[in-house]
Amino acid sequence: MTDTTLDPAIADLVRGAAWVTVCSGAGMSAESNVPTFRDAETGLWERFDPTELATPQAWSRDSAMVWAWYQWRAKLVRSTTPNPGHVALAEWADRRTVMVVTQNVDDLHERAGSAVTAHLHGSLFEPRCSHCDLPYSGIDADPEVATETLRVQPPSCPRCLSEVRPGVVWFGEPLPSHAWERAADAAAGCDLLIVVGTSGIVYPAASLPERALAAGIPVIEINPEPTPLSSLVTHFMQTTAAVGLPALLQEVPPAG
Ligand SMILES: NC(=O)c1ccc[n+]([C@@H]2O[C@H](COP(=O)([O-])OP(=O)(O)OC[C@H]3O[C@@H](n4cnc5c(N)ncnc54)[C@H](O)[C@@H]3O)[C@@H](O)[C@H]2O)c1
Ligand SMILES: [Zn+2]
């Protein structure tokens, strides 16, 4: 999208949709300065490959390094704010039914005012016991007090004394089944699915737009770069989340 004029077919779809489900990925938060996995990391962690730290193997090998990396990411997210894309989705929910399904582990949708239907890959802010799953909220899990070092010993679970782990889904781990069920329902029942800021290569999240298309539900994709999904969707908007979502919202008349 090189100008601000919206394709009339996209405008019609958006106006006619009473229930919109949005599937967001790391690109949703890029304009809030939360790096995607593909962006080069800066500083302390630049020589590490995030996809190698986000694994159960990395945790078994060096839990103190993995804990420190997640504490650093949580601290980074705390220092950012929602962008106009997040804000547009929260405002959209005042006018229509909007369900947000996100692969993001940040809390920027919530801070913009959206009720998130499913955090498919968990949250940076919900650590839990690695053995008994008890949620952990001790002060030593607060990223504000984490030190900027390459290793921080994870806290111990007050119930079973095992190590507390980040509340995220690592590569190779199954998604939390309740989150996946909510996401699948949100994608199957909506009038319009919007996919924004995801490279569409991490499954099963990437299957949600495919399922919607197979069920005859129109799908709009927003991404500054084409993805494997772009040639399959109903409309591909080659733009960013903070530009594309407010442009769509302009087409949605206020409720009442
Ligand atoms: N903010 C976060 O919570 C965060 C950050 C990094 C990684 N992750 C995790 O990384 C995994 C990677 O999958 P993914 O597909 O979400 O991310 P990804 O890094 O694989 O892909 C990001 C996509 O966003 C697009 N993009 C970049 N800037 C954009 C913008 N301004 N507006 C819209 N799109 C933009 C890119 O072209 C790319 O297609 C996920 O499991 C996710 O949990 C999360
Ligand atoms: Zn425990």
Side-chain angles (χ1 to χ4, degrees), residues 152-176:
V152 178
Q153 200 54 44
S156 299
C157 170
R159 184 157 69 191
C160 76
L161 300 181
S162 298
E163 284 182 333
V164 170
R165 59 162 282 175
V168 302
V169 179
W170 286 321
F171 291 105
E173 289 189 314
L175 304 192

Side-chain angles (χ1 to χ4, degrees), residues 177-202:
S177 59
H178 50 281
W180 174 249
E181 281 155 24
R182 283 199 303 272
D185 288 348
C190 62
D191 303 315
L192 170 65
L193 189 89
I194 300 175
V195 189
V196 51
T198 169
S199 53
I201 48 178
V202 181

Side-chain angles (χ1 to χ4, degrees), residues 29-200:
S29 300
E31 287 151 292
S32 295
N33 295 323
V34 180
T36 67
F37 272 0
R38 282 151 174 235
D39 291 332
E41 300 274 358
T42 50
L44 185 64
W45 294 99
E46 68 193 355
R47 55 206 168 88
F48 296 94
D49 178 352
T51 58
E52 284 179 15
L53 284 166
T55 65
Q57 291 77 13
W59 179 255
S60 315
R61 202 165 48 231
D62 193 344
S63 59
M65 178 180 249
V66 173
W67 181 257
W69 185 61
Y70 278 98
Q71 290 296 84
W72 173 79
R73 287 183 64 199
K75 193 171 181 178
L76 185 149
V77 164
R78 283 249 182 109
S79 71
T80 66
T81 50
N83 66 57
H86 295 106
V87 172
L89 292 180
E91 285 179 16
W92 203 324
D94 293 336
R95 306 180 191 182
R96 299 287 186 274
T97 299
V98 176
M99 295 197 180
V100 176
V101 172
T102 188
Q103 295 178 72
N104 292 347
V105 293
D106 65 47
D107 60 350
L108 292 173
H109 282 301
E110 287 92 339
R111 280 199 269 139
S114 287
V116 172
T117 301
H119 267 281
L120 287 177
H121 295 164
S123 164
L124 288 171
F125 303 102
E126 292 172 11
R128 63 172 195 275
C129 174
S130 58
H131 179 68
C132 75
D133 281 342
L134 186 73
Y136 185 80
S137 58
I139 182 73
D140 44 359
D142 184 345
E144 294 304 326
V145 299
T147 51
E148 305 268 331
T149 63
L150 284 179
R151 281 189 178 72
V152 178
Q153 200 54 44
S156 299
C157 170
R159 184 157 69 191
C160 76
L161 300 181
S162 298
E163 284 182 333
V164 170
R165 59 162 282 175
V168 302
V169 179
W170 286 321
F171 291 105
E173 289 189 314
L175 304 192
S177 59
H178 50 281
W180 174 249
E181 281 155 24
R182 283 199 303 272
D185 288 348
C190 62
D191 303 315
L192 170 65
L193 189 89
I194 300 175
V195 189
V196 51
T198 169
S199 53

